[in-house]
Amino acid sequence: MAIQLTNSFGGHKEIFVPQTPDRVRLYVCGPTVYDFAHIGNARPAVVFDVLVRVLRRHFGEVVYVRNLTDIDDKINAAARREGVSIGVIAERYAAAYHADMAALGVAPPTVEPKVTDHLPEIIDLIGRLISSGNAYVAERHVLFHVPSFAQYGALSGRSPEEMIAGARVEVAPFKRHPADFVLWKPSSADQPGWDSPWGRGRPGWHIECSAMIERHLGSSIDIHGGGQDLIFPHHENEIAQGTRASYWLHNGFVTVEGHKMSKSIGNVLLVRDLLQEAPGEAIRFALLSAHYRQPLDWTSQTLHQARRSLDRLYGALRHLEGAEGEGDPAPYLAAFHAALDDDLNTPAAFAELFRLARSARDETSPAIRSALRSALVRGGAELGLLQDAPEAWFRRSATGEGEPDRVRIEALVAERAEARADRDFERADRLRTQLQALGIQLEDNGDRTDWRFDRNVITS
């Protein structure tokens, strides 16, 4: 079955066909490494990680490039405050980003270029834009002249005038047009800078991605991705600079309790802080719980719901442990794969996993039980989930202050099982109540009882 993707260039769902058969070239704008990653930064990393997994099911080779921006005025400011080089700041937060994304199950890209390693390519591209008449030099700056590119605004669907009115455009007397944007800017003696034909300076933000795409993927690529906030001006400017992609994909914003994340109101949720509250797999599940193109509103219940959902799926895997036979999982994954192939519809894919989990409860055929378990594991792998042993998940999910002693829990569960076997149901009920008071949820499966800890249901 073919993959369908919604192309932001036109806004329609299209069948995905790579430019080169069985080889996909994908570029996604990565982080600017001046601070720790928040969940808004994590969403595109997780979404496009899943897309790469889906593409690799269909195509022989997927070359995935995600950059690191390590030249930026925010990095400069942080370095100045600490009295260190920009490399110290960039390396610190790049390492933190890698650690946080790894905790969310995000695999490294095929190539992760850094801006500081691509100054020759950037300077060369700027020189070609000047030669073609698309850019000009003014007061030690190089600017792209927007009216020189007639298709400017085609991605966002707005005229230059509308975009100028709705965006923060730097006003400078040397600009030929208010929408002209910087390709190269001068650096003062105390700012990082590199030699160029236009003097010592540093690149503008937009030119770096175009240069790195050309260097690592060529003049035209299959997919260019990023957050919705990058459509204008970043991706619009990339197109003006010469970046060509068959499909442009953008994920929706992440809000917190209905509000945009902002340091001024104190609602920025850092991934590293959320990892103190829940396993990375729960955060990943939450980030995939809404369709990637739709907004995702993070509430006080988001992580709790994600953990409960994963408890159900891991509970099904635990129930299927020891299943023997050589059952074929492919028929059970058909609807799951169809959901992901339909514009990466993760909510529908999750619904299919839960349907498989429900089917497992009453299934007795060893071959079907084996096939269901394989389907859950394989489907989970495509989403970056369900790769732990069930008991490892439940141990990890049960961390936090107030967790009861495991030995005590097992003793109470065993005592209750003995009471049930003796048909002393009054005593069994008392033990269930005692366990519930400790925050233990029980699930009876025939002669076996599974349990999990949930701090949110502890009673006094």
Side-chain angles (χ1 to χ4, degrees):
M1 183 175 177
I3 301 174
Q4 295 188 85
L5 299 171
T6 297
N7 195 342
S8 298
F9 214 116
H12 302 296
K13 193 183 294 186
E14 303 173 13
I15 294 176
F16 174 71
V17 180
Q19 296 174 17
T20 302
D22 217 31
R23 185 173 190 265
V24 180
R25 290 168 297 164
L26 166 69
Y27 183 93
V28 174
C29 292
T32 300
V33 283
Y34 69 94
D35 204 346
F36 295 112
H38 54 66
I39 52 172
N41 306 131
R43 193 180 193 194
V46 169
V47 163
F48 288 102
D49 180 66
V50 173
L51 176 61
V52 168
R53 294 167 192 247
V54 172
L55 290 169
R56 285 178 174 151
R57 172 163 48 85
H58 285 267
F59 302 99
E61 182 182 9
V62 178
V63 183
Y64 175 28
V65 179
R66 186 190 67 210
N67 75 299
L68 281 175
T69 295
D70 59 349
I71 300 175
D72 183 83
D73 286 346
K74 291 180 179 177
I75 298 175
N76 296 346
R80 193 162 47 248
R81 284 194 303 270
E82 296 189 24
V84 297
S85 70
I86 61 170
V88 171
I89 299 297
E91 288 178 15
R92 176 195 304 161
Y93 291 111
Y97 178 81
H98 290 147
D100 288 346
M101 295 308 105
L104 301 188
V106 175
T110 313
V111 184
E112 189 178 53
K114 296 189 295 185
V115 181
T116 50
D117 293 333
H118 293 78
L119 268 299
E121 290 88 348
I122 291 170
I123 290 169
D124 176 70
L125 178 54
I126 294 173
R128 283 184 277 136
L129 289 171
I130 294 172
S131 297
S132 66
N134 295 111
Y136 60 93
V137 182
E139 297 189 17
R140 299 172 60 211
H141 290 74
V142 182
L143 298 105
F144 188 96
H145 189 42
V146 168
S148 72
F149 184 68
Q151 293 77 39
Y152 193 81
L155 177 64
S156 57
R158 293 178 289 178
S159 69
E161 290 74 19
E162 289 174 318
M163 288 184 281
I164 292 168
R168 296 178 179 177
V169 177
E170 183 182 354
V171 177
F174 51 80
K175 281 188 175 184
R176 295 179 183 174
H177 187 275
D180 292 353
F181 57 90
V182 172
L183 304 177
W184 189 265
K185 53 189 172 183
S187 293
S188 62
D190 63 341
Q191 291 177 320
W194 290 261
D195 291 333
S196 81
W198 319 287
R200 181 177 177 275
R202 59 200 191 278
W205 175 37
H206 313 295
I207 193 67
E208 60 192 45
C209 284
S210 292
M212 288 187 286
I213 288 171
E214 186 178 72
R215 166 66 178 80
H216 294 283
L217 295 173
S219 58
S220 181
I221 64 174
D222 297 302
I223 299 172
H224 195 315
Q228 186 180 355
D229 57 317
L230 298 181
I231 294 177
F232 178 79
H234 187 51
H235 288 167
E236 200 75 75
N237 291 353
E238 279 190 58
I239 292 171
Q241 293 163 169
T243 299
R244 298 291 176 264
S246 300
Y247 304 83
W248 292 80
L249 305 185
H250 296 92
N251 63 271
F253 293 111
V254 179
T255 56
V256 178
E257 303 287 357
H259 298 284
K260 182 180 178 180
M261 277 191 291
S262 170
K263 287 185 178 180
S264 63
I265 61 176
N267 68 343
V268 176
L269 299 180
L270 299 181
V271 173
R272 59 179 33 226
D273 291 339
L274 292 174
L275 287 168
Q276 301 302 311
E277 300 177 23
E281 193 168 344
I283 301 170
R284 184 184 179 98
F285 186 102
L287 289 168
L288 295 172
S289 61
H291 191 280
Y292 79 94
R293 296 182 63 244
Q294 300 303 315
L296 172 64
D297 189 40
W298 198 279
T299 73
S300 60
Q301 290 300 304
T302 297
L303 275 183
H304 172 63
Q305 292 167 353
R307 290 171 68 161
R308 293 292 296 272
S309 295
L310 284 167
D311 282 351
R312 288 169 57 194
L313 294 173
Y314 271 111
L317 286 176
R318 182 166 61 182
H319 180 65
L320 292 168
E321 280 183 337
E324 298 177 356
E326 299 296 331
D328 181 10
Y332 298 94
L333 285 171
F336 171 84
H337 285 151
L340 288 182
D341 292 347
D342 183 13
D343 200 23
L344 215 64
N345 191 338
T346 52
F350 281 144
E352 286 302 316
L353 290 185
F354 287 118
R355 184 181 64 81
L356 295 177
R358 288 193 299 272
S359 299
R361 292 176 185 171
D362 302 318
E363 185 55 59
T364 57
S365 164
I368 295 178
R369 285 169 58 82
S370 174
L372 286 171
R373 191 177 194 285
S374 294
L376 283 169
V377 172
R378 292 188 189 183
E382 198 156 337
L383 293 167
L385 304 168
L386 303 181
Q387 301 307 290
D388 263 344
E391 287 306 323
W393 160 259
F394 286 112
R395 283 195 301 271
R396 186 175 298 110
S397 184
T399 57
E401 290 186 14
E403 180 183 354
D405 179 75
R406 185 181 182 87
V407 174
R408 183 187 177 198
I409 296 169
E410 297 284 9
L412 289 171
V413 170
E415 186 180 349
R416 178 176 173 273
E418 182 182 344
R420 293 179 69 219
D422 292 341
R423 303 187 66 80
D424 187 349
F425 298 116
E426 183 177 350
R427 178 175 162 227
D429 287 343
R430 285 200 308 271
L431 288 164
R432 173 186 282 274
T433 301
Q434 186 177 350
L435 286 159
Q436 287 175 334
L438 294 172
I440 303 302
Q441 296 293 292
L442 301 175
E443 182 180 342
D444 293 321
N445 295 298
D447 294 333
R448 185 174 111 184
T449 298
D450 297 323
W451 64 268
R452 62 180 173 82
F453 174 71
D454 187 344
R455 69 177 64 83
N456 292 288
V457 297
I458 295 177
T459 58
S460 58

